[in-house]
């Protein structure tokens, strides 16, 4: 299904007019997508790979292969931001999660189309399941953040959470990982799957628009080598991973004795 057909299916009005929304966003990143570290978009001079529409082979954009230095910067930013984020309290954190949920609602059509273009799943699934569930997760965990002091009295955040998500539900997996982590007072360094990074990058722009504090959520992209750096980083307190059994076993072996939660 090409882009115009996607928009027709989603009843976005005239296909050429609606197509401009997502296409303009892709065009604005024609020189490559950066990574999001400490509230800023960072572009590396070297290390990029293509993200393609699996239905057509069309190159949608160039994604960054995060360097070790930039990953270290992301973890350091998350570490520095965590005490302040925790100190906001549940009600303070909930305001940001509610703001993010509302912004996703406003951007839902673009996110659904981009998810289908980058991932290859049916647009019906993206628009009726994935994106609505993303919105619900941020609303739901905003509510839990408000209740945290009474319902989870005595519990403390873990700290910095390293998150690695797979290709099959890129946007929804990101919501499943990020929303509960930040609601509980943690900070995040998250890596999407190598070839399905674009919808999380669009979502990250909404984090910035919502005013999420610098360093609270850091997004790094790249292949399994970047995921391995996250797993082995000494300043990450917990690893949240969804993926193959083989990689899960390897993560368990690599983190054994490290004190990291899984």
């Amino acid at each position: 299904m090409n882009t115009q057909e996607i928009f027709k299916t989603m009843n976005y009005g005239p296909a050429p007019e609606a197509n401009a929304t997502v296409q303009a966003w892709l065009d604005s990143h024609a020189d490559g997508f950066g990574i999001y570290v400490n509230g800023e978009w960072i572009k590396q001079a070297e290390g990029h790979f293509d993200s393609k529409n699996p239905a057509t082979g069309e190159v949608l954009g160039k994604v960054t292969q995060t360097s070790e230095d930039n990953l270290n910067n992301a973890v350091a930013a998350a570490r520095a931001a965590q005490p302040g984020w925790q100190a906001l309290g549940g009600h303070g954190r909930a305001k940001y999660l509610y703001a993010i949920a509302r912004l996703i609602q406003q951007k839902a059509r673009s996110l659904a189309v981009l998810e289908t273009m980058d991932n290859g799943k049916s647009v019906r699934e993206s628009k009726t399941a994935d994106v609505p569930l993303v919105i619900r997760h941020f609303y739901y965990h905003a509510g839990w953040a408000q209740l945290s002091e009474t319902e989870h009295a005595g519990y403390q955040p873990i700290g910095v959470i390293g998150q690695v998500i797979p290709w099959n539900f890129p946007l929804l997996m990101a919501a499943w990982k990020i929303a509960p982590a930040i609601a509980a007072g943690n900070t995040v360094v998250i890596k999407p799957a190598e070839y399905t990074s674009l919808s999380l990058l669009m979502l990250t722009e909404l984090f910035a628009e919502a005013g999420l504090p610098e360093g609270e959520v850091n997004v790094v992209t790249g292949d399994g080598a970047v995921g391995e750096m996250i797993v082995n980083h000494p300043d990450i307190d917990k690893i949240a991973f969804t993926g193959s059994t083989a990689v899960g076993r390897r993560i368990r072996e690599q983190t054994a004795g490290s004190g990291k939660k899984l």
Side-chain angles (χ1 to χ4, degrees):
M1 181 178 289
N2 63 35
T3 308
Q4 290 193 3
E5 289 171 335
I6 288 172
F7 279 106
K8 287 178 181 177
T9 304
M10 299 182 78
N11 297 318
Y12 284 0
E17 180 181 325
N19 180 51
T21 305
V22 173
Q23 192 59 53
W25 183 80
L26 292 171
D27 291 344
S28 70
H29 296 90
D31 59 344
F33 288 89
I35 58 175
Y36 191 70
V37 175
N38 201 29
E40 295 184 359
W41 290 99
I42 308 297
K43 289 195 174 182
Q44 295 180 180
E46 299 179 352
H48 297 85
F49 55 90
D50 291 340
S51 185
K52 298 180 180 180
N53 183 331
T56 64
E58 173 191 3
V59 175
L60 301 174
K62 292 188 177 296
V63 180
T64 295
Q65 174 72 14
T66 302
S67 69
E68 184 174 0
D69 285 345
N70 277 332
L71 177 67
N72 288 338
N73 291 338
V75 176
R79 176 65 64 195
Q82 196 276 322
W85 181 248
Q86 178 180 350
L88 279 178
H91 284 271
R93 295 190 295 271
K95 292 178 182 178
Y96 290 99
L97 275 86
Y98 280 126
I100 291 167
R102 289 191 292 269
L103 287 169
I104 298 170
Q105 282 183 294
Q106 295 170 18
K107 199 82 170 182
R109 292 178 171 182
S110 296
L111 285 165
V113 169
L114 183 62
E115 188 80 321
T116 289
M117 291 172 68
D118 198 31
N119 169 271
K121 65 173 63 192
S122 72
V123 71
R124 181 187 298 274
E125 184 174 346
S126 295
K127 75 169 184 174
T128 63
D130 292 30
V131 174
L133 284 171
V134 169
I135 296 165
R136 289 177 64 186
H137 272 285
F138 277 98
Y139 275 126
Y140 177 81
H141 289 289
W144 270 116
Q146 289 181 282
L147 296 171
S148 60
E149 278 82 4
T150 54
E151 296 299 316
H152 297 144
Y155 282 78
Q156 296 295 317
I158 294 170
V160 178
I161 315 297
Q163 304 177 337
V164 180
I165 57 176
W167 59 269
N168 51 349
F169 292 92
L171 198 59
L172 186 50
M173 282 284 183
W176 284 344
K177 294 281 195 287
I178 293 170
I182 66 176
N186 303 289
T187 52
V188 165
V189 177
I190 186 169
K191 186 194 90 68
E194 181 176 357
Y195 294 116
T196 53
S197 303
L198 299 187
S199 58
L200 176 53
L201 294 174
M202 182 180 277
L203 176 63
T204 304
E205 293 180 351
L206 303 186
F207 295 158
E209 190 174 341
L212 199 65
E214 296 176 358
E216 173 52 31
V217 175
N218 303 272
V219 180
V220 296
T221 53
D223 60 17
V226 180
E228 193 162 358
M229 287 192 288
I230 290 174
V231 168
N232 292 316
H233 203 287
D235 285 336
I236 288 179
D237 301 299
K238 179 178 180 177
I239 301 298
F241 167 79
T242 302
S244 72
T245 301
V247 175
R249 285 174 177 156
R250 185 173 178 182
I251 290 172
R252 184 66 188 92
E253 292 168 356
Q254 290 178 324
T255 57
S258 68
K260 283 187 175 68
K261 294 181 179 294
L262 298 178

